[in-house]
Amino acid sequence: MAEEAEGGVPEEILSLWEREQAQLKARVVDRDTEEWQREPAFSGLRRVGGVDLSFVKGDCARACASLVVLSYPELEVLYEDNQLVSLSTPYVPGFLAFREVPFLRDAMQRLRDTKPSLVPQAGFGVACHLGILTDLPCIGVAKKLLQVDGLENNALHRERMQLLHAGGDSFPLMGESRTVLGMALRSHDRSTNPLYVSVGHKVSLQTAVRLTHSCCRFRIPEPVRQADIRSREHIRRTLGLPAAPEPAPKRSQKVHPKGNLEETLD
C-alpha cells in the first residue's frame, strides 16, 4: 500500500508534483514578450482574462470553474464560461494548482476551439502554472501575503503598507534570499488593503504591477472579480439556491483636505 502524505496524497504523487513544478519553473519567462507590454498605455492590448473556482457551500468537492474575457481598457465582459466540476484531488498546501488548473485549462481550450478571436492576450489567476500550460502572459494576484522565504506580515510589513497612499503605490517584497518575489500594490485609491502581485509568465514584474492597477475598478482586478461573481451566480442558478443578499458596501473614513472626516467605499 502506498505511503500517504499530507491530504491523503501518496508520497509518489507528491514527488511527481514536485518534479513537475521544477520543470514548469524552469520554463517561466519573467520578462515582457509582447509589443503591447512595452507601450505606456498598453496600446494593442484588447482582451484580458480572469479565472476563478468557487465552491458549493458546504461541499469541498464540487465547484464552479469560471473563465471570463473582458475588453481592455473598457473592462466589459465579452465572454464567460462557467462549468460545475467535481474535484477528486485533495487540497495540499503548495500544490493548489494541481487541484484546480486542469478545469481552468479545459475552459481555455473550449474558448480556443469555439471563439479563438476572444482568447485573452493576458490573464489573471493561477499565474505560472496556467500561463505555461496555455502559453499566455499571466499575472499572479493574491489578497494575502504568501509567507515564504522569510516574508512575514509583521510590524515592519504593516508599517510599509501605511506608505501606500494612493492607487498605484507599491513596494517590493524581498525575501531572505534577497530575491524580489513580488510587489505589494495599493490597487485602488479607495482600497485600504494591498494586493500582492507576482510574475506569472511572459511578463515582467513592473508590467504586471502596471497592468493590475489599470484593471482595478475596486481592490481586485476586474477579470478575477467578474470570474468570482459569475461563478457564484452560476452555482446559485444551477442548484436553484436563493439569491444571496446584497452585501453592504464597506466604508472607511479619511480626512478631507478641509480637516473633516468623510466616508469612502472600499
Side-chain angles (χ1 to χ4, degrees):
M1 183 175 179
E3 183 180 354
E4 290 192 345
E6 189 171 1
V9 177
E11 288 286 357
E12 59 266 28
I13 298 298
L14 287 183
S15 297
L16 178 65
W17 286 352
E18 288 173 349
R19 290 196 297 272
E20 187 171 338
Q21 279 185 333
Q23 292 168 356
L24 290 170
K25 183 178 179 180
R27 293 168 57 189
V28 169
V29 176
D30 60 358
R31 65 182 184 279
D32 294 331
T33 60
E34 314 302 311
E35 190 62 36
W36 60 262
Q37 295 168 331
R38 301 179 179 88
E39 298 292 332
F42 297 126
S43 301
L45 178 61
R46 297 289 180 263
R47 300 174 306 283
V48 291
V51 294
D52 185 69
L53 232 74
S54 292
F55 283 85
V56 175
K57 187 175 181 179
D59 190 339
C60 62
R62 281 199 303 169
C64 178
S66 178
L67 163 68
V68 299
V69 180
L70 278 62
S71 62
Y72 185 89
E74 300 85 4
L75 301 179
E76 300 297 331
V77 175
L78 302 173
Y79 172 91
E80 65 178 291
D81 179 309
N82 302 293
Q83 298 279 332
L84 276 181
V85 299
S86 296
L87 290 82
S88 57
T89 302
Y91 168 67
V92 180
F95 298 99
L96 177 64
F98 291 96
R99 176 170 164 84
E100 299 186 353
V101 160
F103 304 105
L104 303 173
R105 185 184 186 183
D106 288 347
M108 185 64 71
Q109 189 59 51
R110 284 192 295 272
L111 173 56
R112 282 180 159 147
D113 291 341
T114 59
K115 295 188 176 180
S117 63
L118 293 181
V119 171
Q121 296 162 275
F124 295 84
V126 195
C128 299
H129 204 119
L130 188 60
I132 293 170
L133 295 180
T134 60
D135 195 36
L136 290 174
C138 281
I139 296 169
V141 289
K143 292 187 288 185
K144 294 183 179 179
L145 178 67
L146 182 61
Q147 302 190 56
V148 296
D149 194 19
L151 290 178
E152 290 185 61
N153 190 6
N154 53 21
L156 177 59
H157 182 76
R158 291 189 291 273
E159 182 179 324
R160 298 191 74 185
M161 285 169 53
Q162 299 305 311
L163 301 177
L164 303 178
H165 298 301
D169 289 353
S170 64
F171 64 82
L173 302 168
M174 184 172 291
E176 291 179 347
S177 64
R178 310 306 295 170
T179 300
V180 175
L181 303 175
M183 299 285 281
L185 167 71
R186 182 163 182 168
S187 57
H188 195 280
D189 287 341
R190 297 192 297 271
S191 179
T192 55
N193 294 311
L195 279 180
Y196 298 100
V197 180
S198 59
V199 168
H201 184 52
K202 299 176 75 170
V203 62
S204 68
L205 183 56
Q206 292 76 19
T207 296
V209 169
R210 286 199 301 121
L211 183 56
T212 299
H213 178 227
S214 72
C215 287
C216 287
R217 289 175 171 168
F218 302 94
R219 181 190 177 200
I220 306 301
E222 198 63 14
V224 175
R225 180 173 171 270
Q226 288 297 327
D228 175 68
I229 290 171
R230 289 161 191 270
S231 60
R232 294 178 188 278
E233 177 60 17
H234 184 77
I235 290 174
R236 187 193 70 78
R237 291 198 316 267
T238 304
L239 301 183
L241 302 177
E246 287 290 331
K250 296 179 181 178
R251 295 184 178 272
S252 57
Q253 291 184 321
K254 69 176 184 179
V255 179
H256 190 272
K258 294 183 179 180
N260 59 307
L261 288 173
E262 63 180 7
E263 288 187 321
T264 61
L265 298 181
D266 195 358

